[in-house]
Structure formats: C-alpha cells, structure tokens
Amino acid sequence: MEELRYAAKEDVLEAIDDAFHTADELDESGIKVVYQPRDDEMGCTIRLFGEVTSESERQVAAQILTDVLGLPDVDNRLVVQEALREEGPGFDKPVRDDTDYMGEGLELIDDGVVNDEFGYSPPDHPIPETTTEEDQDHRH
C-alpha cells in the first residue's frame, strides 16, 4: 500500500475511512481527516483533527495511517478528551463521575457511618496502649 500516498485524494480518503472503520480499538466518529497534496516524494500530508477518548486511541489512528496504509506524512492533532472516556471503545461499564461519590459520601456522613470523605471514623473511646515484651524490658 506504499503507493497509496500518490493515489487520488478520494482513494486515499476512502482507504483511511475503511481502515478506521475496521479498527476495533478506535472510535473514528470524533476524527476529521484532512488531505493536503504535496509536490515532493511524500505525495500528500494527512492531518487528523478532533477528539478521541485516550492516548492509545490517538496513537492507533496515527499508526493505521503510517504502518498499515503506508502514508509517511501524518500530522496528528487529535486531542484526548477525558470526559469522553466512558463512551469510548473497550469500556464495558460507564465511569462514575465525582458527583456519584460525593452524594454517597454525604449520605454516609449524614447517617453517622463515616465522619469524612476518606471513610475514617474515630473511636468513641480511648484505645489502650499496646506494648510488647521488648518494650517492657526497655522500660525497666
């Protein structure tokens, strides 16, 4: 596929679209591909814009262009958006947001189960000091 870089714009964009669509580890819905012809041995420059859910997805998109399709000049401007993570490929369960944890924590505090967000509840009476035999030998 090394000759793809010299192919017509429509053929290059179609090959990219097909490759992105068949990659299980990539959600191409947030990716915009821009083709720019060149007058040198590179053939064309492919620019990627948009948002992906992880750095891994960002790298996969670029590797598909360079390693799979043989396009040597890729300008990867994809941005990783953490807010999109729960919708990204490979996530079986949605990621809970902080408001869920805060709400549960406040309920536990209100119920007297815990006294702070870390789950620490101090004892309601003094804890006896524990000593070992070695400690007792040093005191005498």
Side-chain angles (χ1 to χ4, degrees):
M1 279 246 174
E2 190 170 312
E3 297 304 313
L4 183 62
R5 65 180 153 177
Y6 301 112
K9 175 181 177 178
E10 295 78 24
D11 294 336
V12 173
L13 293 176
E14 184 178 334
I16 292 170
D17 186 51
D18 290 345
F20 279 2
H21 186 67
T22 59
D24 292 334
E25 60 278 351
L26 180 66
D27 177 7
E28 77 277 8
S29 63
I31 300 175
K32 178 176 170 64
V33 178
V34 176
Y35 174 94
Q36 180 179 4
R38 293 177 56 149
D39 292 330
D40 60 11
E41 69 278 353
M42 295 296 207
C44 65
T45 297
I46 302 298
R47 289 191 167 80
L48 300 177
F49 296 96
E51 299 174 343
V52 291
T53 60
S54 68
E55 180 61 30
S56 173
E57 239 185 321
R58 183 179 183 278
Q59 292 174 5
V60 165
Q63 287 175 338
I64 288 172
L65 298 180
T66 57
D67 299 349
V68 176
L69 298 178
L71 298 167
D73 191 15
V74 176
D75 183 9
N76 189 350
R77 297 183 184 191
L78 293 173
V79 176
V80 176
Q81 292 289 62
E82 291 297 321
L84 298 175
R85 290 189 64 204
E86 67 186 55
E87 300 169 7
F91 285 89
D92 297 328
K93 300 188 272 186
V95 176
R96 292 172 40 164
D97 62 18
D98 291 339
T99 57
D100 289 338
Y101 292 115
M102 187 59 143
E104 287 177 14
L106 291 174
E107 286 174 19
L108 292 172
I109 291 170
D110 290 343
D111 294 341
V113 176
V114 295
N115 290 334
D116 68 8
E117 63 185 293
F118 301 107
Y120 174 74
S121 294
D124 57 352
H125 59 280
I127 299 175
E129 187 176 314
T130 58
T131 59
T132 63
E133 288 180 30
E134 188 175 300
D135 289 337
Q136 290 176 355
D137 291 340
H138 291 287
R139 290 184 187 167
H140 294 289

